[in-house]
Amino acid sequence: MKNPENNSLKSHILVVEDEEDIVRLITFHLEKEGYRVTGTGNGREALELAHANPPDLVVLDIMLPEMDGLEVCRRLRSSKETANVPILVLSAKKEELDKVLGLELGADDYMVKPFSVRELVARVRAIFRRFDREDNAETEEAKKNGMEERILSLSDIILYHERHQVMVNGELRILTHKEFLLLELLMENVGKVLTRDLLLDKIWGYEVGVDTRTVDVHIRYLRQKIETDPASPRYIETVRGVGYKFVKD
Ligand code: CA
C-alpha cells in the first residue's frame, strides 16, 4: 500500500545509471526495502536533481553520457548542499576502482559490475546505518553539552564536530566525509602516532576492498585541502613505516 504522505519520511536515493535494466532492477529492490528512489541516466541531470532536492544517498555509475560519474562525484563533493551526501559508486572497469578513484573523490563505497542487487541493498543499508549512528551520537553529545557545539582547535585549524566543518586560517575547507573523520581522529590524538591499520579499522571498519593504501590516498587528499604546502606538510606528519600524526606547532 502506498501512502504518499509517508514519502517525506523515507530516505531518498538518487540512482544515476544509463542502463535502464539496471536502474529498473535497483529501483525495484530499493523500493521494496522502503526507500524512495529517483532514477536518471544522465550525469548533468543527476547534478540538477541533486541540487534541487539533495538526496540522502547517491548510487552513481561511472560510465555515463554527457558527464561521467567521476565528474558528477567531484561536483557533488564540491557543492555545499551535497558535500556530505553518501555516494556508492558502480563501475564496469575494475582498473578504475584499482586506482581507488572513487574513494579519492570521496565516494563512501564502490561495487564492480556485474554486482548482485542483494549485495547493493546490503551496502546501502550499511551506509545508512553508519550515518544514523553518527547522527545519533552527535545529537546525544550535543544534548550532554547543552547544545553547545564541540570544537577542536589546534594551530590554525578549527574543527566543528556537529557541523562537520573545518576552517583553516579562518577559511572553510570542504572535506569529504572520510577526510573529515581522518582529520578528527588525528586531531583528537594530537602528537600521537596513529598506525595505518588503526586508521583503517576506525574509519573504514567493515568495508571490503580497502587496504592501508586507501589510508595513504586519503591522507594525500586531506593534505591538499588543509596544508599550505602538501609536499612538506605542517599539520599531518608521516611517520615512516608506521602511520601518521597530527603535530601542533
Ligand atoms: Ca553506464
Side-chain angles (χ1 to χ4, degrees), residues 83-144:
N84 294 315
V85 173
I87 299 174
L88 171 60
V89 165
L90 306 177
S91 177
K93 289 197 217 152
K94 199 162 191 310
E95 312 83 68
E96 276 174 344
L97 301 175
D98 286 346
K99 281 184 262 161
V100 286
L101 258 178
L103 293 171
E104 286 179 13
L105 289 171
D108 293 85
D109 203 352
Y110 62 79
M111 296 185 79
V112 183
K113 287 178 176 177
F115 54 86
S116 105
V117 184
R118 193 194 283 268
E119 186 172 352
L120 179 124
V121 172
R123 299 269 187 112
V124 164
R125 261 200 248 118
I127 293 174
F128 276 124
R129 262 203 309 275
R130 197 166 74 233
F131 274 72
D132 282 351
R133 208 166 49 226
E134 282 160 13
D135 284 350
N136 290 341
E138 278 162 18
T139 314
E140 283 305 307
E141 196 64 40
K143 270 187 208 151
K144 258 191 270 166

Side-chain angles (χ1 to χ4, degrees), residues 234-247:
R234 180 182 149 198
Y235 307 114
I236 299 173
E237 202 171 88
T238 302
V239 181
R240 204 167 285 279
V242 186
Y244 299 96
K245 74 171 171 186
F246 189 96
V247 281

Side-chain angles (χ1 to χ4, degrees), residues 165-177:
Q165 278 182 354
V166 172
M167 308 277 279
V168 182
N169 273 323
E171 219 180 84
L172 181 67
R173 301 292 159 93
I174 306 281
L175 303 189
T176 67
H177 184 63

Side-chain angles (χ1 to χ4, degrees), residues 221-241:
Y221 275 74
L222 179 56
R223 279 175 174 155
Q224 284 171 9
K225 292 180 180 177
I226 64 166
E227 301 277 2
T228 315
D229 178 9
S232 60
R234 180 182 149 198
Y235 307 114
I236 299 173
E237 202 171 88
T238 302
V239 181
R240 204 167 285 279

Side-chain angles (χ1 to χ4, degrees), residues 200-220:
L200 192 65
D201 185 52
K202 291 260 183 198
I203 291 165
W204 282 269
Y206 76 95
E207 287 175 36
V208 291
V210 294
D211 56 34
T212 50
R213 216 164 53 98
T214 309
V215 178
D216 300 334
V217 167
H218 279 76
I219 291 280
R220 195 168 77 228

